[in-house]
Amino acid sequence: MAAEKQSYRGTTRYVAFLGIVAFWAAASSGNEPYVRVLAGISAAAAALHLGFLPLMRRRHRRSAAAEL
């Protein structure tokens, strides 16, 4: 089985980094209000994605095991 090049965008560390940066931008008083709102939405989306990653990986492992 050939190893496929995996994108870094799906990794837990990258999503956590994006969430931290978005939260930082939302909490920064130097940004315009619309930037802070959009950054807050992005931080919430990253947090939800981090919450769903273990569930998606578990489902993927189960389907891979069922194929064997």
Side-chain angles (χ1 to χ4, degrees):
M1 183 158 118
E4 294 181 22
K5 189 174 183 180
Q6 184 178 3
S7 173
Y8 65 89
R9 290 181 287 158
T11 62
T12 307
R13 291 180 189 161
Y14 184 71
V15 175
F17 173 73
L18 287 180
I20 291 169
V21 169
F23 181 76
W24 190 284
S28 175
S29 61
N31 291 333
E32 295 293 324
Y34 72 92
V35 174
R36 295 177 70 187
V37 169
L38 290 175
I41 292 169
S42 297
L48 281 173
H49 185 67
L50 279 175
F52 284 119
L53 271 177
L55 298 174
M56 291 187 296
R57 287 182 180 166
R58 189 178 311 141
R59 185 182 308 158
H60 179 70
R61 283 189 209 129
R62 284 183 187 166
S63 66
E67 289 178 2
L68 296 176

